Amino acid sequence: MFDHLLLIQPEEESIILQTAQGNDIPNDIAPEPDQGAVAAYGEIRAQHLFWIDRRPPCGRYNCHGLVFANRRTSIREDGHVHTILSDDGYRTLHPGEMPQPGDIGLYRGAGVGIVHSCLVVESPPTNMLIQVADAARVISKWCDWGGEAVHVGSDVHFPGFQCGLEFWTDRP
Amino acid sequence: MNHVVLVPLLSTKFDASLPATSNPKALRLALLRHETVGAIAASLSAGSLSEHDLRQFIEGLVLGYKRGQRLPNLMALAALAVVLEPRRTRFSDEYLGNLGRIVLPEFRDAADVARECLSHRQRALVVTARNYRLSDAVPADRAQNLGSGVREERRVEKIVCDAA
């Protein structure tokens, strides 16, 4: 089974990507989505009425590629994300500190690590009795085959497991 | 024609019902808890779905390969990796082993899930082998009274030894 596929030489592409400390970050250019994936993204998108579309489904980059590589490539492994966070001087927010535009968010699933990432584009609204970090407006790309959308941090759904959103910043 | 229990894997609804992440641990866990995947596993165990049906289905999926484009219904391959993970048959070994060895970017998510399944399978074998050592301490005549459980674990240890 799959015998002929094992013989095909992959045309995997990647770019030179390094952290601020000069450590290499392995990456790959994702293939373009097929029609089925585009339709599946349409179904996901239809479940989130308040998302604002920025870009239709495309390949090349995933959520981490949007956040850490300016949409040029896909970054896969948690370890590489942690290397970037460490080398680029990111820290988690202090208790009570609210995310600011330019900060990043990581969605972490119980027992499975990082499942998604996003970039903050708007701080949580202040006209509330309590400011909730998850109410920050963010931009993210849905996997390496989906589209890009602006949405509230908590307006995502990961079927199959619990997921929490944590914010990181490179501000002093 | 595909077996009726496999058809939902080809729907966009199935792809849309999975977490949109490249994290293989998360995908495996979500698939493990997915209703469609559970139904396929149950059919396979009950014998109403055969490995021959699966092979035909998989061969049909792979025909959709096109360089530079994500394989259509890629997550169906990942789902079958999760279904076959606990089975110890030549077919499941071949499926997981070969899918896990594919390095084509068009197959990435499914190949990653297959590797994750193989890793879980290996860990499960080690745990079973450890349990076997405990059960081995039971005298032979008592082990016979304990029924097939102990004999099964002995068989598993033989597999582990053979693999080593």
Side-chain angles (χ1 to χ4, degrees):
Chain A
M1 207 182 315
F2 305 123
D3 292 343
H4 63 295
L5 295 166
L6 293 167
L7 297 174
I8 301 173
Q9 287 299 310
E11 271 188 358
E12 189 168 88
E13 290 178 79
S14 62
I15 61 171
I16 295 169
L17 183 65
Q18 292 189 326
T19 66
Q21 301 291 322
N23 284 313
D24 289 330
I25 299 297
N27 63 89
D28 63 271
I29 311 289
E32 287 303 308
D34 62 289
Q35 283 304 309
V38 172
Y41 179 73
E43 288 204 15
I44 293 168
R45 176 68 190 81
Q47 294 163 18
H48 299 276
L49 298 177
F50 298 106
W51 283 14
I52 300 166
D53 293 317
R54 185 189 173 275
R55 189 171 184 170
C58 63
R60 178 166 284 271
Y61 61 100
N62 62 357
C63 54
H64 300 331
L66 164 71
V67 172
F68 299 112
N70 207 21
R71 301 186 176 90
R72 293 182 186 126
T73 189
S74 300
I75 301 166
R76 306 281 174 183
E77 294 191 17
D78 287 12
H80 302 144
V81 171
H82 287 296
T83 302
I84 297 171
L85 292 172
S86 164
D87 284 9
D88 291 8
Y90 281 91
R91 62 168 174 84
T92 50
L93 298 188
H94 303 304
E97 186 180 9
M98 286 294 123
Q100 301 293 319
D103 291 348
I104 63 167
L106 297 179
Y107 295 85
R108 222 179 264 275
V112 294
I114 302 169
V115 294
H116 190 50
S117 59
C118 61
L119 193 61
V120 177
V121 293
E122 194 180 320
S123 301
T126 50
N127 57 348
M128 300 165 74
L129 287 175
I130 304 170
Q131 234 184 340
V132 183
D134 290 6
R137 198 170 283 276
V138 302
I139 187 167
S140 74
K141 181 167 192 271
W142 216 236
C143 215
D144 61 4
W145 49 267
E148 241 184 80
V150 175
H151 57 86
V152 168
S154 57
D155 187 14
V156 291
H157 178 48
F158 294 98
F161 49 86
Q162 294 290 316
C163 206
L165 173 58
E166 61 188 36
F167 290 99
W168 293 67
T169 184
D170 58 347
R171 288 178 280 123
Chain B
M1 203 167 94
N2 290 321
H3 192 286
V4 66
V5 79
L6 298 172
V7 173
L9 293 179
L10 303 176
S11 67
T12 54
K13 195 178 162 197
F14 177 70
D15 273 353
S17 68
L18 294 172
T21 177
S22 306
N23 178 327
K25 282 183 185 159
L27 284 173
R28 178 185 165 275
L29 189 62
L31 286 165
L32 208 53
R33 294 170 176 171
H34 200 286
E35 199 181 344
T36 303
V37 176
I40 295 167
S43 295
L44 198 56
S45 297
S48 58
L49 174 71
S50 68
E51 291 184 340
H52 177 71
D53 294 329
L54 287 181
R55 187 181 287 274
Q56 280 190 323
F57 178 74
I58 293 157
E59 283 170 358
L61 287 180
V62 170
L63 287 177
Y65 170 67
K66 190 175 160 190
R67 192 165 263 205
Q69 187 186 71
R70 186 177 192 263
L71 183 78
N73 305 117
L74 182 60
M75 295 319 292
L77 289 182
L80 294 181
V82 172
V83 168
L84 293 171
E85 180 191 313
R87 283 176 74 86
R88 300 295 308 185
T89 64
R90 187 186 291 263
F91 174 78
S92 65
D93 291 352
E94 180 191 353
Y95 181 78
L96 289 173
N98 284 356
L99 181 57
R101 278 167 53 213
I102 295 179
V103 288
L104 297 171
E106 295 83 357
F107 283 76
R108 181 181 305 282
D109 286 344
D112 286 350
V113 170
R115 283 189 284 272
E116 184 65 21
C117 290
L118 282 169
S119 147
H120 271 264
R121 195 191 236 202
Q122 193 62 33
R123 265 176 265 161
L125 267 180
V126 171
V127 170
T128 312
R130 250 186 236 135
N131 290 344
Y132 168 76
R133 285 192 191 99
L134 288 173
S135 65
D136 200 29
V138 178
D141 57 333
R142 232 189 112 206
Q144 270 192 339
N145 294 337
L146 287 173
S148 62
V150 171
R151 286 198 294 276
E152 180 65 16
E153 284 174 355
R154 284 203 171 126
R155 193 180 69 80
V156 169
E157 191 192 49
K158 188 171 180 317
I159 293 167
V160 173
C161 293
D162 289 349

mmCIF file with all atom_site columns, all heavy atoms in Angstrom, chain B residues 16-34:
data_model
loop_
_atom_site.group_PDB
_atom_site.id
_atom_site.type_symbol
_atom_site.label_atom_id
_atom_site.label_alt_id
_atom_site.label_comp_id
_atom_site.label_asym_id
_atom_site.label_entity_id
_atom_site.label_seq_id
_atom_site.pdbx_PDB_ins_code
_atom_site.Cartn_x
_atom_site.Cartn_y
_atom_site.Cartn_z
_atom_site.occupancy
_atom_site.B_iso_or_equiv
_atom_site.pdbx_formal_charge
_atom_site.auth_seq_id
_atom_site.auth_comp_id
_atom_site.auth_asym_id
_atom_site.auth_atom_id
_atom_site.pdbx_PDB_model_num
ATOM 1   N N   . ALA B 1 16 ? -14.817 19.534 8.403  1.00 0.00 ? 16 ALA B N   1
ATOM 2   C CA  . ALA B 1 16 ? -15.166 20.721 9.177  1.00 0.00 ? 16 ALA B CA  1
ATOM 3   C C   . ALA B 1 16 ? -15.389 20.403 10.647 1.00 0.00 ? 16 ALA B C   1
ATOM 4   O O   . ALA B 1 16 ? -15.346 21.295 11.493 1.00 0.00 ? 16 ALA B O   1
ATOM 5   C CB  . ALA B 1 16 ? -16.419 21.375 8.586  1.00 0.00 ? 16 ALA B CB  1
ATOM 6   N N   . SER B 1 17 ? -15.618 19.113 10.957 1.00 0.00 ? 17 SER B N   1
ATOM 7   C CA  . SER B 1 17 ? -15.886 18.752 12.346 1.00 0.00 ? 17 SER B CA  1
ATOM 8   C C   . SER B 1 17 ? -14.609 18.472 13.135 1.00 0.00 ? 17 SER B C   1
ATOM 9   O O   . SER B 1 17 ? -14.663 18.141 14.311 1.00 0.00 ? 17 SER B O   1
ATOM 10  C CB  . SER B 1 17 ? -16.777 17.509 12.388 1.00 0.00 ? 17 SER B CB  1
ATOM 11  O OG  . SER B 1 17 ? -16.053 16.387 11.909 1.00 0.00 ? 17 SER B OG  1
ATOM 12  N N   . LEU B 1 18 ? -13.467 18.606 12.487 1.00 0.00 ? 18 LEU B N   1
ATOM 13  C CA  . LEU B 1 18 ? -12.190 18.352 13.164 1.00 0.00 ? 18 LEU B CA  1
ATOM 14  C C   . LEU B 1 18 ? -11.520 19.672 13.526 1.00 0.00 ? 18 LEU B C   1
ATOM 15  O O   . LEU B 1 18 ? -11.737 20.686 12.854 1.00 0.00 ? 18 LEU B O   1
ATOM 16  C CB  . LEU B 1 18 ? -11.266 17.545 12.246 1.00 0.00 ? 18 LEU B CB  1
ATOM 17  C CG  . LEU B 1 18 ? -11.748 16.134 11.934 1.00 0.00 ? 18 LEU B CG  1
ATOM 18  C CD1 . LEU B 1 18 ? -10.867 15.506 10.867 1.00 0.00 ? 18 LEU B CD1 1
ATOM 19  C CD2 . LEU B 1 18 ? -11.748 15.289 13.192 1.00 0.00 ? 18 LEU B CD2 1
ATOM 20  N N   . PRO B 1 19 ? -10.710 19.675 14.571 1.00 0.00 ? 19 PRO B N   1
ATOM 21  C CA  . PRO B 1 19 ? -10.013 20.913 14.902 1.00 0.00 ? 19 PRO B CA  1
ATOM 22  C C   . PRO B 1 19 ? -9.051  21.285 13.780 1.00 0.00 ? 19 PRO B C   1
ATOM 23  O O   . PRO B 1 19 ? -8.344  20.416 13.265 1.00 0.00 ? 19 PRO B O   1
ATOM 24  C CB  . PRO B 1 19 ? -9.252  20.569 16.184 1.00 0.00 ? 19 PRO B CB  1
ATOM 25  C CG  . PRO B 1 19 ? -9.139  19.093 16.195 1.00 0.00 ? 19 PRO B CG  1
ATOM 26  C CD  . PRO B 1 19 ? -10.334 18.570 15.465 1.00 0.00 ? 19 PRO B CD  1
ATOM 27  N N   . ALA B 1 20 ? -9.068  22.528 13.380 1.00 0.00 ? 20 ALA B N   1
ATOM 28  C CA  . ALA B 1 20 ? -8.187  22.962 12.294 1.00 0.00 ? 20 ALA B CA  1
ATOM 29  C C   . ALA B 1 20 ? -6.806  23.236 12.869 1.00 0.00 ? 20 ALA B C   1
ATOM 30  O O   . ALA B 1 20 ? -6.464  24.360 13.201 1.00 0.00 ? 20 ALA B O   1
ATOM 31  C CB  . ALA B 1 20 ? -8.760  24.200 11.629 1.00 0.00 ? 20 ALA B CB  1
ATOM 32  N N   . THR B 1 21 ? -6.044  22.184 13.003 1.00 0.00 ? 21 THR B N   1
ATOM 33  C CA  . THR B 1 21 ? -4.694  22.320 13.544 1.00 0.00 ? 21 THR B CA  1
ATOM 34  C C   . THR B 1 21 ? -3.793  21.303 12.856 1.00 0.00 ? 21 THR B C   1
ATOM 35  O O   . THR B 1 21 ? -4.272  20.270 12.375 1.00 0.00 ? 21 THR B O   1
ATOM 36  C CB  . THR B 1 21 ? -4.678  22.085 15.067 1.00 0.00 ? 21 THR B CB  1
ATOM 37  O OG1 . THR B 1 21 ? -3.341  22.159 15.555 1.00 0.00 ? 21 THR B OG1 1
ATOM 38  C CG2 . THR B 1 21 ? -5.262  20.725 15.443 1.00 0.00 ? 21 THR B CG2 1
ATOM 39  N N   . SER B 1 22 ? -2.513  21.603 12.796 1.00 0.00 ? 22 SER B N   1
ATOM 40  C CA  . SER B 1 22 ? -1.552  20.648 12.236 1.00 0.00 ? 22 SER B CA  1
ATOM 41  C C   . SER B 1 22 ? -0.947  19.797 13.339 1.00 0.00 ? 22 SER B C   1
ATOM 42  O O   . SER B 1 22 ? -0.115  18.936 13.060 1.00 0.00 ? 22 SER B O   1
ATOM 43  C CB  . SER B 1 22 ? -0.426  21.396 11.517 1.00 0.00 ? 22 SER B CB  1
ATOM 44  O OG  . SER B 1 22 ? -0.958  22.266 10.566 1.00 0.00 ? 22 SER B OG  1
ATOM 45  N N   . ASN B 1 23 ? -1.340  20.055 14.585 1.00 0.00 ? 23 ASN B N   1
ATOM 46  C CA  . ASN B 1 23 ? -0.769  19.340 15.721 1.00 0.00 ? 23 ASN B CA  1
ATOM 47  C C   . ASN B 1 23 ? -1.267  17.884 15.696 1.00 0.00 ? 23 ASN B C   1
ATOM 48  O O   . ASN B 1 23 ? -2.451  17.624 15.916 1.00 0.00 ? 23 ASN B O   1
ATOM 49  C CB  . ASN B 1 23 ? -1.210  20.055 17.004 1.00 0.00 ? 23 ASN B CB  1
ATOM 50  C CG  . ASN B 1 23 ? -0.723  19.383 18.262 1.00 0.00 ? 23 ASN B CG  1
ATOM 51  O OD1 . ASN B 1 23 ? -0.589  18.174 18.315 1.00 0.00 ? 23 ASN B OD1 1
ATOM 52  N ND2 . ASN B 1 23 ? -0.463  20.176 19.277 1.00 0.00 ? 23 ASN B ND2 1
ATOM 53  N N   . PRO B 1 24 ? -0.377  16.911 15.411 1.00 0.00 ? 24 PRO B N   1
ATOM 54  C CA  . PRO B 1 24 ? -0.836  15.518 15.258 1.00 0.00 ? 24 PRO B CA  1
ATOM 55  C C   . PRO B 1 24 ? -1.414  14.922 16.528 1.00 0.00 ? 24 PRO B C   1
ATOM 56  O O   . PRO B 1 24 ? -2.309  14.083 16.470 1.00 0.00 ? 24 PRO B O   1
ATOM 57  C CB  . PRO B 1 24 ? 0.421   14.770 14.802 1.00 0.00 ? 24 PRO B CB  1
ATOM 58  C CG  . PRO B 1 24 ? 1.567   15.646 15.093 1.00 0.00 ? 24 PRO B CG  1
ATOM 59  C CD  . PRO B 1 24 ? 1.068   17.051 15.177 1.00 0.00 ? 24 PRO B CD  1
ATOM 60  N N   . LYS B 1 25 ? -0.917  15.353 17.687 1.00 0.00 ? 25 LYS B N   1
ATOM 61  C CA  . LYS B 1 25 ? -1.466  14.845 18.951 1.00 0.00 ? 25 LYS B CA  1
ATOM 62  C C   . LYS B 1 25 ? -2.920  15.266 19.083 1.00 0.00 ? 25 LYS B C   1
ATOM 63  O O   . LYS B 1 25 ? -3.783  14.478 19.473 1.00 0.00 ? 25 LYS B O   1
ATOM 64  C CB  . LYS B 1 25 ? -0.678  15.404 20.143 1.00 0.00 ? 25 LYS B CB  1
ATOM 65  C CG  . LYS B 1 25 ? 0.638   14.722 20.372 1.00 0.00 ? 25 LYS B CG  1
ATOM 66  C CD  . LYS B 1 25 ? 1.309   15.272 21.604 1.00 0.00 ? 25 LYS B CD  1
ATOM 67  C CE  . LYS B 1 25 ? 2.689   14.658 21.741 1.00 0.00 ? 25 LYS B CE  1
ATOM 68  N NZ  . LYS B 1 25 ? 3.576   15.413 22.555 1.00 0.00 ? 25 LYS B NZ  1
ATOM 69  N N   . ALA B 1 26 ? -3.182  16.537 18.754 1.00 0.00 ? 26 ALA B N   1
ATOM 70  C CA  . ALA B 1 26 ? -4.546  17.066 18.858 1.00 0.00 ? 26 ALA B CA  1
ATOM 71  C C   . ALA B 1 26 ? -5.461  16.400 17.840 1.00 0.00 ? 26 ALA B C   1
ATOM 72  O O   . ALA B 1 26 ? -6.604  16.040 18.158 1.00 0.00 ? 26 ALA B O   1
ATOM 73  C CB  . ALA B 1 26 ? -4.533  18.578 18.647 1.00 0.00 ? 26 ALA B CB  1
ATOM 74  N N   . LEU B 1 27 ? -4.951  16.193 16.634 1.00 0.00 ? 27 LEU B N   1
ATOM 75  C CA  . LEU B 1 27 ? -5.773  15.560 15.594 1.00 0.00 ? 27 LEU B CA  1
ATOM 76  C C   . LEU B 1 27 ? -6.109  14.118 15.978 1.00 0.00 ? 27 LEU B C   1
ATOM 77  O O   . LEU B 1 27 ? -7.250  13.671 15.842 1.00 0.00 ? 27 LEU B O   1
ATOM 78  C CB  . LEU B 1 27 ? -5.041  15.588 14.248 1.00 0.00 ? 27 LEU B CB  1
ATOM 79  C CG  . LEU B 1 27 ? -5.026  16.937 13.534 1.00 0.00 ? 27 LEU B CG  1
ATOM 80  C CD1 . LEU B 1 27 ? -4.127  16.872 12.296 1.00 0.00 ? 27 LEU B CD1 1
ATOM 81  C CD2 . LEU B 1 27 ? -6.433  17.356 13.122 1.00 0.00 ? 27 LEU B CD2 1
ATOM 82  N N   . ARG B 1 28 ? -5.108  13.391 16.482 1.00 0.00 ? 28 ARG B N   1
ATOM 83  C CA  . ARG B 1 28 ? -5.349  11.992 16.878 1.00 0.00 ? 28 ARG B CA  1
ATOM 84  C C   . ARG B 1 28 ? -6.399  11.925 17.977 1.00 0.00 ? 28 ARG B C   1
ATOM 85  O O   . ARG B 1 28 ? -7.320  11.102 17.921 1.00 0.00 ? 28 ARG B O   1
ATOM 86  C CB  . ARG B 1 28 ? -4.041  11.350 17.351 1.00 0.00 ? 28 ARG B CB  1
ATOM 87  C CG  . ARG B 1 28 ? -4.208  9.921  17.817 1.00 0.00 ? 28 ARG B CG  1
ATOM 88  C CD  . ARG B 1 28 ? -2.937  9.333  18.386 1.00 0.00 ? 28 ARG B CD  1
ATOM 89  N NE  . ARG B 1 28 ? -3.218  8.119  19.137 1.00 0.00 ? 28 ARG B NE  1
ATOM 90  C CZ  . ARG B 1 28 ? -3.595  8.094  20.407 1.00 0.00 ? 28 ARG B CZ  1
ATOM 91  N NH1 . ARG B 1 28 ? -3.725  9.223  21.096 1.00 0.00 ? 28 ARG B NH1 1
ATOM 92  N NH2 . ARG B 1 28 ? -3.854  6.950  21.012 1.00 0.00 ? 28 ARG B NH2 1
ATOM 93  N N   . LEU B 1 29 ? -6.260  12.812 18.966 1.00 0.00 ? 29 LEU B N   1
ATOM 94  C CA  . LEU B 1 29 ? -7.203  12.803 20.083 1.00 0.00 ? 29 LEU B CA  1
ATOM 95  C C   . LEU B 1 29 ? -8.618  13.131 19.605 1.00 0.00 ? 29 LEU B C   1
ATOM 96  O O   . LEU B 1 29 ? -9.590  12.475 19.997 1.00 0.00 ? 29 LEU B O   1
ATOM 97  C CB  . LEU B 1 29 ? -6.749  13.820 21.139 1.00 0.00 ? 29 LEU B CB  1
ATOM 98  C CG  . LEU B 1 29 ? -7.480  13.791 22.467 1.00 0.00 ? 29 LEU B CG  1
ATOM 99  C CD1 . LEU B 1 29 ? -7.294  12.448 23.160 1.00 0.00 ? 29 LEU B CD1 1
ATOM 100 C CD2 . LEU B 1 29 ? -6.975  14.911 23.378 1.00 0.00 ? 29 LEU B CD2 1
ATOM 101 N N   . ALA B 1 30 ? -8.735  14.142 18.750 1.00 0.00 ? 30 ALA B N   1
ATOM 102 C CA  . ALA B 1 30 ? -10.056 14.528 18.239 1.00 0.00 ? 30 ALA B CA  1
ATOM 103 C C   . ALA B 1 30 ? -10.658 13.396 17.409 1.00 0.00 ? 30 ALA B C   1
ATOM 104 O O   . ALA B 1 30 ? -11.860 13.120 17.500 1.00 0.00 ? 30 ALA B O   1
ATOM 105 C CB  . ALA B 1 30 ? -9.949  15.802 17.418 1.00 0.00 ? 30 ALA B CB  1
ATOM 106 N N   . LEU B 1 31 ? -9.823  12.731 16.620 1.00 0.00 ? 31 LEU B N   1
ATOM 107 C CA  . LEU B 1 31 ? -10.316 11.615 15.796 1.00 0.00 ? 31 LEU B CA  1
ATOM 108 C C   . LEU B 1 31 ? -10.737 10.430 16.667 1.00 0.00 ? 31 LEU B C   1
ATOM 109 O O   . LEU B 1 31 ? -11.747 9.777  16.411 1.00 0.00 ? 31 LEU B O   1
ATOM 110 C CB  . LEU B 1 31 ? -9.240  11.176 14.796 1.00 0.00 ? 31 LEU B CB  1
ATOM 111 C CG  . LEU B 1 31 ? -9.023  12.129 13.622 1.00 0.00 ? 31 LEU B CG  1
ATOM 112 C CD1 . LEU B 1 31 ? -7.712  11.820 12.898 1.00 0.00 ? 31 LEU B CD1 1
ATOM 113 C CD2 . LEU B 1 31 ? -10.185 12.055 12.638 1.00 0.00 ? 31 LEU B CD2 1
ATOM 114 N N   . LEU B 1 32 ? -9.953  10.200 17.712 1.00 0.00 ? 32 LEU B N   1
ATOM 115 C CA  . LEU B 1 32 ? -10.256 9.107  18.642 1.00 0.00 ? 32 LEU B CA  1
ATOM 116 C C   . LEU B 1 32 ? -11.633 9.289  19.270 1.00 0.00 ? 32 LEU B C   1
ATOM 117 O O   . LEU B 1 32 ? -12.328 8.327  19.563 1.00 0.00 ? 32 LEU B O   1
ATOM 118 C CB  . LEU B 1 32 ? -9.166  9.100  19.730 1.00 0.00 ? 32 LEU B CB  1
ATOM 119 C CG  . LEU B 1 32 ? -8.786  7.829  20.434 1.00 0.00 ? 32 LEU B CG  1
ATOM 120 C CD1 . LEU B 1 32 ? -8.427  6.730  19.463 1.00 0.00 ? 32 LEU B CD1 1
ATOM 121 C CD2 . LEU B 1 32 ? -7.618  8.090  21.374 1.00 0.00 ? 32 LEU B CD2 1
ATOM 122 N N   . ARG B 1 33 ? -12.027 10.536 19.471 1.00 0.00 ? 33 ARG B N   1
ATOM 123 C CA  . ARG B 1 33 ? -13.310 10.829 20.121 1.00 0.00 ? 33 ARG B CA  1
ATOM 124 C C   . ARG B 1 33 ? -14.416 11.118 19.109 1.00 0.00 ? 33 ARG B C   1
ATOM 125 O O   . ARG B 1 33 ? -15.509 11.505 19.491 1.00 0.00 ? 33 ARG B O   1
ATOM 126 C CB  . ARG B 1 33 ? -13.131 12.058 21.034 1.00 0.00 ? 33 ARG B CB  1
ATOM 127 C CG  . ARG B 1 33 ? -12.209 11.769 22.195 1.00 0.00 ? 33 ARG B CG  1
ATOM 128 C CD  . ARG B 1 33 ? -11.845 13.015 22.953 1.00 0.00 ? 33 ARG B CD  1
ATOM 129 N NE  . ARG B 1 33 ? -11.031 12.710 24.122 1.00 0.00 ? 33 ARG B NE  1
ATOM 130 C CZ  . ARG B 1 33 ? -10.431 13.610 24.876 1.00 0.00 ? 33 ARG B CZ  1
ATOM 131 N NH1 . ARG B 1 33 ? -10.564 14.896 24.588 1.00 0.00 ? 33 ARG B NH1 1
ATOM 132 N NH2 . ARG B 1 33 ? -9.721  13.250 25.917 1.00 0.00 ? 33 ARG B NH2 1
ATOM 133 N N   . HIS B 1 34 ? -14.104 10.969 17.842 1.00 0.00 ? 34 HIS B N   1
ATOM 134 C CA  . HIS B 1 34 ? -15.072 11.328 16.801 1.00 0.00 ? 34 HIS B CA  1
ATOM 135 C C   . HIS B 1 34 ? -16.067 10.188 16.565 1.00 0.00 ? 34 HIS B C   1
ATOM 136 O O   . HIS B 1 34 ? -15.687 9.026  16.471 1.00 0.00 ? 34 HIS B O   1
ATOM 137 C CB  . HIS B 1 34 ? -14.334 11.656 15.501 1.00 0.00 ? 34 HIS B CB  1
ATOM 138 C CG  . HIS B 1 34 ? -15.129 12.471 14.548 1.00 0.00 ? 34 HIS B CG  1
ATOM 139 N ND1 . HIS B 1 34 ? -16.172 11.946 13.825 1.00 0.00 ? 34 HIS B ND1 1
ATOM 140 C CD2 . HIS B 1 34 ? -15.054 13.785 14.214 1.00 0.00 ? 34 HIS B CD2 1
ATOM 141 C CE1 . HIS B 1 34 ? -16.691 12.906 13.070 1.00 0.00 ? 34 HIS B CE1 1
ATOM 142 N NE2 . HIS B 1 34 ? -16.041 14.033 13.297 1.00 0.00 ? 34 HIS B NE2 1
#
